[in-house]
Amino acid sequence: MALSMTHQIGSLVGTPVPIESTGGEAPAKLNAAAVWKTPAMNLSCKASRSDVIADGLSPPMSPIRSPVLGGTRPDLNVACQAFTMEAETAVEKEHVSGARSKKGKGSGVPVYVMMPLDSVSMGNGVNRKKAVNAAMAALKSAGVEGVMMDVWWGLVEREGPGEYNWGGYNELMEMAKKHGLKVQAVMSFHQCGGNVGDSVTIPLPKWAVEEIDKDPDLAYTDQWGRRNYEYISLGCDTLPVLKGRTPVQCYADFMRAFRDNFKHLLGDTIVEIQVGMGPAGELRYPSYPEQNGTWKFPGIGAFQCFDKYMLSSLKAAAEAANKSNWGSTGPTDAGEYNNWPEDTNFFRKDGGGWDSEYGEFFLTWYSQMLLEHGERILTSTKSIFDNTGVKISVKVAGIHWHYGTRSHAPELTAGYYNTRKRDGYLPIAQMLARHGAVFNFTCIEMRDHEQPQDALCAPEKLVNQVALATQKAQVHLAGENALPRYDEHAHEQILKASQLNVEGNSDDTEMCAFTYLRMNQHLFQPDNWRKFVAFVKKMKEGKSTDKCWEQVEREAEHFVHVTQPLVQEAVAMMH
């Protein structure tokens, strides 16, 4: 069951630990000459200058200098400099032939790695700074393109409207720059915490929560009156309900402040802005909330349209369609969060309300509201980051359970009007295409037979449908794994999905990027790390390679060896 909860994409990471020096054995010293004797492994991510190991800031709670950043560990300095220079050689060669960062066809898929959810502390410092430095150096040397980090609205603008504290993020961005890593920055306008696997709680800004407390209808609401504080209801997107500003204005102001603060890094270090549009940062309704045990996999979830703002819009839509009696409420025969489709009148396969005239009206309105929410935010985002050299992306949830039914109930309650009779992902892809945004999709690592068949789960078929939709809309597709996986079966599935060989299409089209969940101590365990390094190399080889997996693994052993001290450093301090 755990392997199926795709919505947890942003919520799984090791338990936060305090920063402390370790008492373990010092890693073995490296001979720099040994690094030079091995041919470059075709690293293709940009390397920074050879001063990548410049002194860094000491951890906020410890006077000890970071052993990775110089001063106390000459062996690691030598190793890191060797990584960097070797990478620079590869990059210079690639620059001549056309840098992969421009993502030509058939040039492989760059791999990013998600940072821990709590990389920045509630006090706006960097958590586990020494471990993160060691981890970044190891990722860089393994050929990883960059990192993805959540930039939490609830941290940066916590104290008051328009009061932004970028402290910890300034440090993290500079750290990534020093290591030559690119950054996918996620504008996280949702709450972190409350779902299974969450290791940290980061609520919405307290001044926004105060407004929701005064007017609970600012929160998504189900038919039983339960309020959800994960993300502000899109029903009030354009109303000045947050101390004189609309939610969309708040998001735009936040992104504008981010742009102005990090303008010197945009397009070079910061290469992508993923803009959050709902719970877990995904463009969807919070239809399957785990908090307090409300929903459990593989329940169908519940519609989230019962706050007064959503109901006001529904009423107007019903009157416009000359069906005013349809405008007073959402479906009340759609069961409860943990029902299955056949338990309900609305979602059952034969004669279900989803397949009626009313069902078509309601589901069209419900999904269109989500699309218009996306349009509004993307319009702002595009204007703010125009001519900065960054890509814009949007994450869409991989809701694969009950995919084999006619109604696709869990997708419908989340806002994706996808049924046996209708493609719900093409309109999303077309909306993203209008703004030149990347379609970022989850559950790329999952295989159909790994999931509960009684719930008719079909992640592979779902990924295939989404890939076809993005090709029709001519929008770039990027991927993420939904849950932590370190095994070769998952790696092979990601590689297969990333090559986009759908419906016989065998051209050079590939995903534009893949983001791996997540930087933690498990990733750096020796066996997991060895497999991961080989996976990164295989992804970067892309369709153009004729090497077998075993050959790539043998080549990757070199990088596993030279990164061993950094990996040991990261693991020791992440425990």
Side-chain angles (χ1 to χ4, degrees):
M1 170 179 157
L3 288 179
S4 310
M5 294 190 277
T6 60
H7 60 290
Q8 290 183 52
I9 188 150
S11 65
L12 291 160
V13 69
T15 305
V17 295
I19 297 169
E20 57 187 21
S21 57
T22 65
E25 292 180 12
K29 291 195 176 187
L30 287 178
N31 181 341
V35 181
W36 288 110
K37 287 176 183 174
T38 309
M41 292 288 94
N42 191 27
L43 283 181
S44 49
C45 54
K46 272 190 178 176
S48 70
R49 306 179 311 277
S50 57
D51 62 0
V52 69
I53 317 300
D55 283 355
L57 299 170
S58 59
M61 295 171 61
S62 170
I64 301 170
R65 294 191 64 74
S66 165
V68 177
L69 290 185
T72 60
R73 292 288 296 280
D75 54 322
L76 290 183
N77 266 325
V78 170
C80 287
Q81 286 171 353
F83 302 153
T84 304
M85 294 180 75
E86 188 167 331
E88 280 182 333
T89 303
V91 170
E92 283 167 10
K93 289 178 182 174
E94 189 168 286
H95 243 43
V96 175
S97 59
R100 178 164 303 171
S101 60
K102 293 183 181 174
K103 193 63 190 73
K105 282 191 172 185
S107 59
V109 181
V111 175
Y112 292 75
V113 174
M114 291 184 208
M115 301 281 291
L117 289 170
D118 63 338
S119 293
V120 172
S121 69
M122 293 304 284
N124 290 94
V126 176
N127 271 327
R128 301 180 296 276
K129 190 180 300 186
K130 291 193 288 185
V132 169
N133 260 305
M136 282 189 175
L139 292 175
K140 173 64 180 177
S141 66
V144 167
E145 187 85 359
V147 293
M148 172 181 276
M149 64 179 75
D150 287 284
V151 182
W152 295 104
W153 184 32
L155 276 183
V156 175
E157 199 179 354
R158 181 176 62 215
E159 297 305 326
E163 296 176 23
Y164 306 104
N165 184 338
W166 302 106
Y169 292 106
N170 286 326
E171 288 188 57
L172 270 184
M173 297 293 182
E174 289 300 327
M175 205 182 290
K177 181 182 177 183
K178 283 177 182 173
H179 288 291
L181 292 169
K182 294 175 182 174
V183 174
Q184 297 169 316
V186 185
M187 303 291 102
S188 295
F189 298 121
H190 61 286
Q191 167 189 292
C192 177
N195 285 323
V196 171
D198 278 358
S199 60
V200 60
T201 297
I202 303 171
L204 300 183
K206 50 189 177 188
W207 53 270
V209 174
E210 286 169 8
E211 295 302 298
I212 300 174
D213 287 340
K214 286 187 224 165
D215 181 2
D217 283 287
L218 299 181
Y220 282 117
T221 308
D222 64 19
Q223 72 181 85
W224 304 279
R226 277 196 203 88
R227 309 288 188 178
N228 187 304
Y229 276 44
E230 284 185 76
Y231 186 86
I232 294 170
S233 170
L234 62 80
C236 56
D237 266 358
T238 59
L239 302 174
V241 292
L242 296 179
K243 299 194 183 295
R245 290 186 296 168
T246 71
V248 172
Q249 284 174 332
C250 289
Y251 306 149
D253 289 345
F254 182 90
M255 290 189 285
R256 199 172 290 111
F258 177 91
R259 177 201 67 192
D260 293 346
N261 188 74
F262 293 107
K263 58 180 178 288
H264 60 294
L265 298 176
L266 294 177
D268 182 17
T269 296
I270 301 170
V271 297
E272 182 177 324
I273 301 295
Q274 185 174 106
V275 56
M277 295 195 172
E282 296 166 336
L283 177 65
R284 64 173 176 87
Y285 294 99
S287 55
Y288 44 95
E290 286 183 279
Q291 196 160 19
N292 303 320
T294 301
W295 172 88
K296 290 184 174 62
F297 176 86
I300 58 176
F303 291 113
Q304 304 291 310
C305 59
F306 294 85
D307 64 77
K308 68 184 181 186
Y309 301 106
M310 291 291 285
L311 288 175
S312 172
S313 170
L314 178 61
K315 182 181 180 186
E319 288 173 355
N322 292 319
K323 298 283 187 181
S324 55
N325 56 317
W326 288 352
S328 60
T329 182
T332 53
D333 60 349
E336 299 186 9
Y337 285 98
N338 295 308
N339 284 147
W340 285 34
E342 290 305 306
D343 298 336
T344 75
N345 287 328
F346 191 81
F347 294 120
R348 68 187 184 200
K349 62 183 179 183
D350 294 319
W354 67 275
D355 199 22
S356 66
E357 186 186 359
Y358 165 73
E360 183 179 355
F361 160 78
F362 172 78
L363 293 169
T364 298
W365 167 80
Y366 189 68
S367 61
Q368 188 62 33
M369 287 287 281
L370 191 65
L371 287 169
E372 289 172 6
H373 174 66
E375 289 269 12
R376 280 190 287 270
I377 295 179
L378 275 178
T379 298
S380 293
T381 308
K382 189 177 177 185
S383 67
I384 290 164
F385 292 102
D386 197 28
N387 297 318
T388 59
V390 300
K391 287 182 180 177
I392 307 297
S393 70
V394 173
K395 191 192 299 186
V396 176
I399 302 175
H400 59 84
W401 53 103
H402 301 296
Y403 182 85
T405 63
R406 293 183 191 174
S407 64
H408 292 237
E411 292 164 88
L412 297 185
T413 57
Y416 306 152
Y417 191 0
N418 191 54
T419 68
R420 182 78 56 90
K421 301 177 177 182
R422 188 179 189 279
D423 184 349
Y425 298 99
L426 184 58
I428 297 172
Q430 289 168 333
M431 184 268 286
L432 298 180
R434 284 194 290 276
H435 297 277
V438 174
F439 191 125
N440 185 284
F441 198 63
T442 67
C443 80
I444 301 300
E445 85 284 10
M446 293 183 175
R447 296 185 292 181
D448 292 353
H449 70 81
E450 295 171 340
Q451 307 303 320
Q453 291 309 296
D454 55 344
L456 299 179
C457 301
E460 290 178 82
K461 294 182 182 68
L462 173 58
V463 169
N464 207 48
Q465 182 187 350
V466 167
L468 275 172
T470 57
Q471 288 178 4
K472 284 179 188 170
Q474 297 186 304
V475 65
H476 287 299
L477 178 63
E480 298 180 2
N481 51 314
L483 294 172
R485 290 282 295 271
Y486 308 98
D487 58 289
E488 288 165 334
H489 294 302
H491 293 164
E492 287 166 8
Q493 184 61 32
I494 293 165
L495 183 72
K496 175 184 169 187
S498 73
Q499 295 186 348
L500 301 181
N501 294 325
V502 292
E503 284 199 351
N505 172 30
S506 58
D507 64 14
D508 287 338
T509 305
E510 297 171 283
M511 284 187 180
C512 62
F514 178 80
T515 305
Y516 187 89
L517 179 81
R518 174 182 307 275
M519 179 197 288
N520 59 23
Q521 65 266 37
H522 303 297
L523 173 61
F524 295 113
Q525 295 299 331
D527 196 45
N528 291 343
W529 179 247
R530 178 181 59 79
K531 291 172 183 172
F532 176 74
V533 172
F535 161 71
V536 170
K537 183 159 180 53
K538 191 74 172 177
M539 290 286 280
K540 288 165 67 92
E541 295 278 357
K543 290 185 177 182
S544 59
T545 185
D546 56 0
K547 296 176 186 174
C548 66
W549 194 264
E550 291 75 15
Q551 183 182 353
V552 172
E553 274 211 349
R554 284 196 300 273
E555 293 176 353
E557 286 294 342
H558 164 64
F559 287 113
V560 172
H561 172 70
V562 296
T563 56
Q564 188 177 15
L566 298 167
V567 168
Q568 288 174 339
E569 197 83 51
V571 170
M573 285 181 288
M574 282 186 174
H575 272 301

